[in-house]
Amino acid sequence: MKLTIGGGLKLAFRPWVEGLENVPAEGPAILASNHLSFSDSFFLPAVLDRKVTFIAKAEYFTTPGVKGKLTAAFFKGVGQLPVDRSGARGAGEAAIRSGIGVLERGELFGIYPEGTRSPDGRLYRGKPGGLARVALATGAPVIPVAMIDTEKVQPPGKVVPKMIRPGIRIGKPLDFSRYMGMDGDRFILRSVTDEVMYEIMKLSGQEYVDIYATVAKRLIAEAAKRSAQDEADGA
C-alpha cells in the first residue's frame, strides 16, 4: 500500500526534496520534523525508499464499522503505529517505547518534536520527552527534516487538499551518542531537543517561537473567544 499511496502522492503533487542522501540506506535513524499539516506523515514517506513509522492515535485503528476498518488499513499501510494517548504521561511513555522498538529493529522512526501541528505556520519549542529520550536510549542518529508548504496543501480543518507543490528539506544526521544513558537528565534532554529544533529552523526558514505549540493554540483560541465576545457585546 505504501508504494500505491506514495506513488499517487508524488504523481499528483510532485513534491520537491533536498538532502535525500542524508537518509541512511539501512540501519536505525530518527527523522525529526516540523509539523505543519496532517499530510506531513504521508509526504515524507512518499519521497523515501525506506519505510518510516510514525505514531498515530489508537482511535484511528479502533473505530468500528466499514469506514473504521478502511481508516485502520490506510494508516497501517502508510506505516502509522497506534498508541493509546489516554493520559498525558501514559501516552508519552507508550510513544517512547514504540519508538525504541522501531529503532531496535533497524528501521526509521518519524517524530514531530513540537508535539502537535503548528497553529500558524511558525516553529514552536520542541518537547524534550519523546525525541531526546528515544535518541539517548538507542544512540540512533537524529535527522532534522523541514516540511515546506504542506499547510497550504491541506490547511487545518480542510478535507479536500489543494493542488500545491510542497517541499521537503532533509538535513545532515546529528549524533547524540555521547549522551547515551543520560536520558534521566532534564538539562541534557532540553539541550538535545533545542539543538534539533535549531537545525529544523535553519532548514525550514520558519520564525521560531519559544513556547509550546499547545500553549499557542490555547492562547489563539482564547483570543478568538474574547474577540467574538467583544463583537457580541457591541452588537
Side-chain angles (χ1 to χ4, degrees):
M1 185 181 289
K2 178 187 182 301
L3 293 176
T4 302
I5 296 172
L9 283 174
K10 287 197 288 186
L11 182 63
F13 292 95
R14 300 181 299 110
W16 56 265
V17 58
E18 299 174 358
L20 273 176
E21 69 278 3
N22 292 321
V23 180
E26 58 183 21
I30 301 168
L31 297 175
S33 174
N34 61 339
H35 199 12
L36 297 173
S37 168
F38 174 79
S39 61
D40 293 336
S41 299
F42 306 134
F43 279 114
L44 179 55
V47 302
L48 300 176
D49 293 330
R50 298 181 61 188
K51 174 185 175 182
V52 185
T53 299
F54 287 89
I55 298 298
K57 293 188 297 185
E59 299 90 276
Y60 287 143
F61 299 82
T62 58
T63 304
V66 175
K67 182 179 179 181
K69 290 181 179 179
L70 290 174
T71 300
F74 175 78
F75 278 98
K76 289 178 182 177
V78 296
Q80 301 278 334
L81 190 67
V83 169
D84 184 358
R85 305 203 304 186
S86 57
R89 183 167 180 79
E93 293 299 325
I96 290 167
R97 289 195 302 270
S98 298
I100 290 173
V102 170
L103 295 166
E104 287 179 341
R105 295 195 298 270
E107 300 173 2
L108 299 177
F109 177 59
I111 188 169
Y112 301 112
E114 291 168 280
T116 187
R117 281 174 280 175
S118 170
D120 54 13
R122 296 186 294 177
L123 184 68
Y124 286 86
R125 195 180 197 204
K127 294 189 173 182
L131 166 65
R133 285 183 60 188
V134 171
L136 301 190
T138 62
V142 179
I143 301 173
V145 177
M147 307 301 294
I148 311 292
D149 291 338
T150 53
E151 81 282 11
K152 298 176 183 177
V153 173
Q154 190 176 28
K158 300 295 183 181
V159 176
V160 179
K162 296 181 180 180
M163 301 307 293
I164 295 172
R165 190 182 185 195
I168 302 170
R169 289 196 182 99
I170 303 172
K172 295 184 181 300
L174 304 173
D175 180 13
F176 297 108
S177 59
R178 63 192 182 277
Y179 296 131
M180 280 190 70
M182 302 175 70
D183 50 315
D185 188 321
R186 63 188 180 93
F187 295 105
I188 294 294
L189 296 179
R190 181 77 264 162
S191 177
V192 168
T193 305
D194 288 345
E195 184 174 338
V196 174
M197 297 309 295
Y198 179 70
E199 293 300 321
I200 293 175
M201 181 187 69
K202 289 197 298 182
L203 290 169
S204 68
Q206 291 170 279
E207 177 186 349
Y208 179 76
V209 185
D210 196 25
I211 62 172
Y212 293 123
T214 50
V215 174
K217 285 184 175 182
R218 188 184 73 241
L219 294 175
I220 290 171
E222 290 174 353
K225 185 177 180 180
R226 287 196 300 271
S227 178
Q229 186 62 51
D230 289 343
E231 289 184 7
D233 293 341

